[in-house]
Amino acid sequence: MANNDMGKRIADRRKELHLSQTQLAELTGYSDKTAISKIENGQSNLTQTKIVIFADALHTTTMYLMGWVDDPNLTKDQVFAQQQAKRLRAYSNRLQ
């Protein structure tokens, strides 16, 4: 996923939660909103550790931020259950 795609998801989720860039900066350990602005605009890369921190701060999963699922409100367990169901359907279709 491109940085700007993840940045857009971060910005969208931040706005859904009615957080300012300054508030998100505080929650994620950045000193000011400038870093958040750069991340949201795709001008800055996030490490795996930072993606986890952002997911926690935004009450979502890393899978949502990475673009692997489209619903920011799914829990890790729900995503896992969906993946398992998809695998079972594919396996069942092969048996027919």
Side-chain angles (χ1 to χ4, degrees), residues 1-90:
M1 168 176 263
N3 287 341
N4 56 341
D5 294 336
M6 185 183 303
K8 181 174 179 351
R9 284 178 178 252
I10 289 170
D12 290 346
R13 186 64 177 164
R14 175 182 60 77
K15 291 171 188 173
E16 278 179 31
L17 297 174
H18 306 286
L19 293 172
S20 68
Q21 288 181 332
T22 300
Q23 290 170 315
L24 185 56
E26 291 171 5
L27 291 171
T28 55
Y30 288 92
S31 58
D32 60 40
K33 69 178 187 171
T34 304
I36 302 301
S37 178
K38 287 180 180 179
I39 291 164
E40 290 182 352
N41 289 313
Q43 299 170 340
S44 182
N45 291 328
L46 290 177
T47 64
Q48 289 178 348
T49 302
K50 281 293 186 181
I51 293 170
V52 171
I53 290 169
F54 271 83
D56 289 344
L58 295 169
H59 305 288
T60 191
T61 62
T62 56
M63 293 169 279
Y64 170 74
L65 294 182
M66 297 293 295
W68 299 339
V69 297
D70 291 326
D71 186 343
N73 298 307
L74 290 177
T75 65
K76 293 174 189 172
D77 290 338
Q78 289 170 321
V79 171
F80 179 75
Q82 284 183 350
Q83 291 170 338
Q84 291 298 91
K86 184 177 178 181
R87 287 185 187 112
L88 284 172
R89 282 191 300 276

